[in-house]
Amino acid sequence: MHEDVAALRFNTAIAKLIVLNNHLTKLDAVPRQTAEMLVLALAPFAPHVAEELWDKLGHADSLVYADFPVADPRYLVADEVTCVVQVQGKVRDKIQVPPDITEEALRDLALASEGARRALDGRGIRTVIVRAPKLVNIVPA
């Protein structure tokens, strides 16, 4: 969000806040720290509403004096990425893989995937193009 605000892309910054809010509304209970961070992130765009929410959260002082939230980098690392498996240029499967997977391991996973086996239907393989970790394209013989 910091990059969006710095680049004056306010619409995308607000869209990210909306996505976060949508995730939070699906929870049974929102952790207080998360609610406070959301209100602080909302403040540059809707200061009066954010100030009211800050007061409702029980803070006596203004949110103007609170630090803007900063993301912890250890939580910004993707645990898994989606790899698209194509056969003859058509998407046949999607598999979840670690972001640091090797090309050989990804090739083996893609060839073993249900969608790829179904699309190949016993045909041989001419070539396999691997662009780890996002794409595997299988060209049948």
Side-chain angles (χ1 to χ4, degrees):
M1 191 173 112
H2 286 281
E3 295 84 18
D4 291 329
V5 173
L8 303 178
R9 293 188 306 257
F10 302 126
N11 288 347
T12 55
I14 293 169
K16 289 177 183 177
L17 290 175
I18 292 171
V19 168
L20 173 61
N21 185 59
N22 290 341
H23 286 295
L24 293 177
T25 56
K26 294 176 185 172
L27 299 176
D28 292 331
V30 177
R32 180 178 179 82
Q33 183 181 10
T34 305
E36 288 177 348
M37 293 300 131
L38 180 61
V39 170
L40 287 170
L42 177 67
F45 309 108
H48 300 287
V49 172
E51 195 69 50
E52 284 291 320
L53 292 171
W54 192 250
D55 185 57
K56 295 273 186 203
L57 287 169
H59 295 278
D61 56 337
S62 173
L63 66 78
V64 173
Y65 303 111
D67 292 330
F68 195 76
V70 178
D72 190 347
R74 66 183 168 169
Y75 295 119
L76 299 177
V77 178
D79 294 333
E80 289 185 333
V81 294
T82 302
C83 176
V84 175
V85 179
Q86 294 179 337
V87 177
Q88 286 184 311
K90 295 182 181 177
V91 176
R92 302 297 182 174
D93 208 348
K94 293 181 181 178
I95 53 177
Q96 297 296 321
V97 297
D100 58 349
I101 192 168
T102 63
E103 288 191 2
E104 296 80 26
L106 184 57
R107 180 182 192 275
D108 294 340
L109 280 175
L111 291 174
S113 73
E114 180 65 31
R117 286 196 320 243
R118 192 176 332 111
L120 287 170
D121 196 30
R123 294 182 288 176
I125 298 170
R126 182 184 314 168
T127 186
V128 178
I129 302 166
V130 180
R131 298 292 179 254
K134 298 278 188 173
L135 175 70
V136 177
N137 191 358
I138 304 167
V139 180

